[in-house]
Amino acid sequence: MESIHDELPLLSSIIKGIAAQFGPNCEVVLHDLTKGYESTIVLIENAHVTGRRVGDCGSNLGLEVLRGSTNEGDRYNYITHTRDGKVVRSSSIYLKNSKQEVIGSICINMDISDLMIAENAIKSLTLHDSEEKVDEVFVSDVNELLDHLIGECQKEIGKPVSHMSKDEKLKALKYLDEKGAFLIKKAGDRVCEFFGISKFTLYNYLDEVRS
């Protein structure tokens, strides 16, 4: 497979087939990760699960894969939550070209909120303490995703920017860099505004944390 666009008829059949198999509570999404990250979704079935649509952005996990922060991007049967409180069982499978470059992904998001209510009856299909819990954020606007990552980096440091030392700012920027935040267009402007630093300082700090 060399491009998502060339394989769209086949991938469309696969997406529709998975959604039909598991019903209306199963969202299936095809991302083209060769496009700008602000608009990766090219196909989506049962979009009401996460409230996204064609032309919306990917999640934070996709950024980490593109950034190279994780060696194995594929994840299966992990539990996450939507912003409106749904409990979702998800799997993410990354598609590569002949050079082993990530070019897209298929993501399956099954809303199991109703199953959670009946957990005692169908416990084998719902969340267990031993299962992997992953912080995945589903948004339609890539700027919301960037704001989430900035908020998370501040939690990582544990204090407001006004009280951060240079080393703590470096640690925060390293967190953002590893999470793929700077793959988002114009992320530098928003990050500079948040930290109260110039573009020149930002680039120097990034050089420092990457070296």
Side-chain angles (χ1 to χ4, degrees):
M1 180 183 299
E2 296 307 313
S3 79
I4 298 299
H5 181 267
D6 290 347
E7 301 295 338
L8 210 51
L10 171 61
L11 292 171
S12 178
S13 295
I14 293 171
I15 299 298
K16 290 180 182 295
I18 295 172
Q21 174 69 28
F22 294 103
N25 286 335
C26 180
E27 177 190 83
V28 191
V29 190
L30 175 66
H31 295 275
D32 185 344
L33 298 176
T34 63
K35 302 160 70 76
Y37 206 75
E38 67 277 5
S39 181
T40 64
I41 297 178
V42 292
L43 289 174
I44 187 167
E45 294 288 325
N46 298 324
H48 60 274
V49 173
T50 63
R52 296 174 296 170
R53 59 186 178 181
V54 169
D56 284 347
C57 65
S59 76
N60 54 310
L61 297 186
L63 276 179
E64 292 181 32
V65 171
L66 290 177
R67 172 62 180 79
S69 300
T70 177
N71 292 327
E72 293 295 333
D74 292 355
R75 294 175 181 261
Y76 306 100
N77 290 323
Y78 59 90
I79 299 296
T80 187
H81 299 79
T82 64
R83 302 186 77 182
D84 60 357
K86 296 187 186 80
V87 181
V88 178
R89 183 188 292 278
S90 298
S91 292
S92 299
I93 303 159
Y94 288 87
L95 309 174
K96 298 179 180 180
N97 61 18
S98 59
K99 297 178 181 178
Q100 293 303 297
E101 298 166 332
V102 172
I103 58 173
S105 65
I106 295 174
C107 300
I108 303 166
N109 303 306
M110 184 81 175
D111 180 2
I112 60 169
S113 303
D114 291 340
L115 297 179
M116 295 291 292
I117 296 172
E119 182 173 9
N120 289 335
I122 47 176
K123 195 170 183 179
S124 64
L125 297 178
T126 55
L127 175 63
H128 297 276
D129 291 338
S130 61
E131 289 177 334
E132 182 184 12
K133 299 175 186 178
V134 178
D135 178 24
E136 182 168 19
V137 182
F138 302 108
V139 295
S140 52
D141 184 342
V142 76
N143 292 310
E144 293 180 52
L145 181 58
L146 180 57
D147 285 341
H148 167 78
L149 292 173
I150 290 173
E152 289 299 302
C153 89
Q154 184 169 7
K155 288 181 187 177
E156 186 82 3
I157 303 304
K159 61 176 67 173
V161 173
S162 58
H163 290 70
M164 287 185 193
S165 66
K166 177 187 174 182
D167 286 343
E168 287 168 335
K169 288 182 179 180
L170 288 172
K171 182 179 178 182
L173 288 171
K174 182 178 181 181
Y175 175 91
L176 288 174
D177 189 35
E178 290 179 347
K179 295 297 181 182
F182 295 104
L183 296 175
I184 297 173
K185 286 183 179 178
K186 298 185 179 178
D189 294 336
R190 177 73 182 90
V191 171
C192 285
E193 178 186 356
F194 179 77
F195 284 100
I197 59 177
S198 67
K199 278 279 189 71
F200 178 78
T201 300
L202 173 63
Y203 295 143
N204 283 338
Y205 281 3
L206 286 175
D207 286 342
E208 193 169 338
V209 299
R210 289 170 177 170
S211 62

